[in-house]
Amino acid sequence: MTETAPIESLPATELVARYRSGDLSPVEVTAAVLERAERLQPELNCFWGLDRVGALAEAVASERRWAAGTPLGTIDGVPTSIKENVAVRGFSQPSGTAAKFDAPVATIDGPSVARIREAGGVIFGVTVMPDYGMLSSGVSSLHGITRSPWNPAWTVGGSSGGAGAAAAAGIGPLHVGSDIGGSLRLPATWLGLVTLKPSFGRVAVDPPYMGRVAGPLTRTVDDAALFLGVLTRPDPRDYTSLGEQNLDWTDVHCGESGVAGLKVGFHLAGGAGLATDPEVAASVLRAVELFAAAGAIVEEIAPPMTEKYLADLDLFLRVRSLADYEVLEPARQAMVLDFIRDWVLAGSGVSGTEVLRCYQSIQDLRATTVAATAPYDVVLSPVSPVAAFPAEWPMPTNDAATSLDHIAFTAPYNFSEQPASSVNCGFTADGRPIGLHIAGRRFEDLVVLRSTHWYERARPAAAEPVWPLHTVHKPVH
């Protein structure tokens, strides 16, 4: 990829190496990224805002530091985007909904943004999300529809859909997203990207919430690892933070033995919700067989999710979002996406006792997930039971009643607080990307990342993304 890619689409690892050698300047790279963002924005609709003046000023300062041999950190001068729900000074946080169109402008950077600036990263833009981050698509009452660089008729996933679209389109190498049930991994699987949903508390967020994490969306494992070395530095605003962690995020190689001897569990069914599409199952099974052929000890396991767990999680999240909806004035309630309104109103009238029962069910899901996966170094599965669906659909079923039927593979690891990655493992017959989900024990993020790195290099050429290099075409209706 790096031999033919334009400079704005080069990996962060290569950019840093070329800044160090003097072969490239952060200014020319940032200018190229901004030009690409501005050119593709009308068609992809992935940015809430771009900061040309601020980004170029940061790039100039970075260029001076590299010339003096004094870079601030490991990503000095690397263009970076931030998801809309992470505070960036100078930008508002409307959470993807028209009901918050006049949200106040942030005056203080959130934790991820602060860490990036400390390391010299160049923040060039803020990416969009769907209403309240509660959709696995790029559909927003405020922003409209975000479209895939692979094909504008396909979804980008969500809720980190704008970040995913920017990454897949090669608009800079590093993008911050967040995940409370799959919002990093679902864009990754439907766009062919790499991500790691880290162990809970590893990347500071503000405010923290059960299951919520922030993390990278990139094209390569090496870039994700480089970025995690920055994002995992602590922040006092997150009272759930793991603090100083002292992990060597550059240590992502499995070594000469590869995955030989690794204990690997796998399952192709989610245990609840949608059945796994045969093309998705076949691609993931081929990846499992590749691990086995390399000497991993592979065993099929039962999925941790059940229909009861999924129904209870769905109801709990409906009531949680209903609390946000009910504080809005009626005029603003009318601005919320109809799909979201239908979904949250199904939580009306639920008793406190029932909510607490659902909460306890989520804790039971956590215990079940930990117990099911504890015997294994990693567990392999699909990220989603289906490949990308139409861009106009809010969710894969396009039905609020079955809104969460696609998160049986991803959600257990949010609430068990375990790390889980996505890396492309194949394509459907019509070219839609398919992600391999690799989950590990809590705090064993590097084990997951090493396994992901090994697979990225061992996978067949047919499973490797060949990224779109040019502008997409507008959809035909």
Side-chain angles (χ1 to χ4, degrees):
M1 185 195 83
T2 59
E3 293 179 359
T4 58
I7 59 172
E8 65 269 22
S9 302
L10 292 175
T13 51
E14 182 169 344
L15 289 179
V16 171
R18 293 177 68 175
Y19 293 162
R20 183 174 291 110
S21 69
D23 182 46
L24 269 182
S25 157
V27 175
E28 60 182 316
V29 172
T30 299
V33 168
L34 286 164
E35 187 280 328
R36 188 172 183 85
E38 290 164 350
R39 177 164 52 87
L40 295 183
Q41 171 64 6
E43 297 168 359
L44 297 181
N45 189 30
C46 55
F47 290 101
W48 171 226
L50 297 170
D51 184 8
R52 172 173 281 275
V53 172
L56 288 173
E58 290 175 4
V60 168
S62 174
E63 181 178 66
R64 290 171 180 159
R65 290 192 294 269
W66 280 109
T70 57
L72 279 179
T74 56
I75 60 167
D76 203 328
V78 178
T80 306
S81 81
I82 311 296
K83 186 177 176 181
E84 178 184 334
N85 62 343
V86 179
V88 180
R89 61 177 185 260
F91 286 88
S92 63
Q93 296 173 263
S95 299
T97 179
K100 297 177 64 177
F101 70 93
D102 56 353
V105 172
T107 57
I108 300 173
D109 290 328
S112 293
V113 178
R115 301 295 85 75
I116 291 165
R117 292 198 202 275
E118 290 165 1
V122 174
I123 296 171
F124 70 90
V126 174
T127 55
V128 298
M129 58 189 281
D131 285 56
Y132 293 102
M134 294 310 296
L135 295 176
S136 299
S137 68
V139 179
S140 162
S141 61
L142 178 63
H143 306 302
I145 298 171
T146 302
R147 298 185 179 275
S148 171
W150 292 95
N151 185 323
W154 299 343
T155 189
V156 292
S159 61
S160 305
I171 306 173
L174 302 180
H175 306 270
V176 173
S178 63
D179 191 318
I180 201 171
S183 290
L184 281 165
R185 291 157 290 163
L186 292 168
T189 190
W190 292 324
L191 291 165
L193 299 167
V194 170
T195 190
L196 176 74
K197 182 206 77 66
S199 293
F200 183 78
R202 195 167 292 290
V203 175
V205 296
D206 181 30
Y209 187 82
M210 179 177 63
R212 183 181 180 223
V213 300
L217 277 161
T218 65
R219 289 180 168 190
T220 70
V221 176
D222 282 334
D223 271 6
L226 177 71
F227 206 14
L228 284 161
V230 172
L231 297 176
T232 53
R233 295 179 58 201
D235 190 290
R237 288 171 286 183
D238 186 347
Y239 49 80
T240 67
S241 172
L242 299 179
E244 292 290 348
Q245 300 163 48
N246 299 317
L247 292 181
D248 182 2
W249 289 97
T250 65
D251 184 17
V252 295
H253 296 270
C254 281
E256 293 183 5
S257 61
V259 294
L262 202 69
K263 294 180 180 179
V264 176
F266 81 95
H267 58 100
L268 303 179
L274 291 172
T276 306
D277 182 279
E279 286 188 284
V280 172
S283 286
V284 172
L285 184 58
R286 285 192 290 271
V288 172
E289 292 169 345
L290 192 61
F291 274 80
I297 303 165
V298 175
E299 179 180 348
E300 188 168 9
I301 67 171
M305 184 64 86
T306 67
E307 293 289 357
K308 180 181 183 300
Y309 287 151
L310 185 60
D312 290 344
L313 175 62
D314 179 49
L315 183 57
F316 182 86
L317 291 175
R318 286 177 194 251
V319 176
R320 169 187 175 269
S321 294
L322 179 65
D324 294 330
Y325 178 81
E326 287 186 333
V327 299
L328 299 173
E329 298 174 356
R332 292 188 182 255
Q333 289 179 346
M335 297 178 185
V336 174
L337 194 75
D338 289 345
F339 189 97
I340 288 289
R341 187 183 307 110
D342 292 344
W343 180 69
V344 302
L345 288 177
S348 299
V350 175
S351 69
T353 301
E354 180 68 0
V355 172
L356 286 176
R357 187 197 62 76
C358 290
Y359 175 81
Q360 185 56 54
S361 184
I362 293 169
Q363 297 306 322
D364 292 344
L365 170 61
R366 173 177 182 166
T368 298
T369 304
V370 170
T373 58
Y376 305 99
D377 296 304
V378 294
V379 173
L380 311 181
S381 73
V383 176
S384 166
V386 295
F389 50 93
E392 294 80 7
W393 288 13
M395 289 292 205
T397 64
N398 200 28
D399 182 355
T402 54
S403 187
L404 301 189
D405 273 17
H406 61 291
I407 66 168
F409 293 106
T410 53
Y413 298 101
N414 289 85
F415 299 101
S416 69
E417 305 186 357
Q418 295 172 244
S421 70
S422 179
V423 59
N424 202 68
C425 68
F427 297 87
T428 60
D430 59 359
R432 290 171 293 159
I434 298 169
L436 172 67
H437 198 231
I438 304 178
R441 303 182 188 100
R442 191 179 180 204
F443 306 135
E444 294 190 2
D445 302 57
L446 282 176
V447 175
V448 171
L449 210 56
R450 288 173 191 140
S451 299
T452 310
H453 188 269
W454 176 87
Y455 177 76
E456 180 186 51
R457 280 151 178 73
R459 66 187 172 187
E464 184 175 349
V466 179
W467 301 104
L469 290 177
H470 304 293
T471 181
V472 297
H473 300 288
K474 293 184 177 179
V476 177
H477 296 289

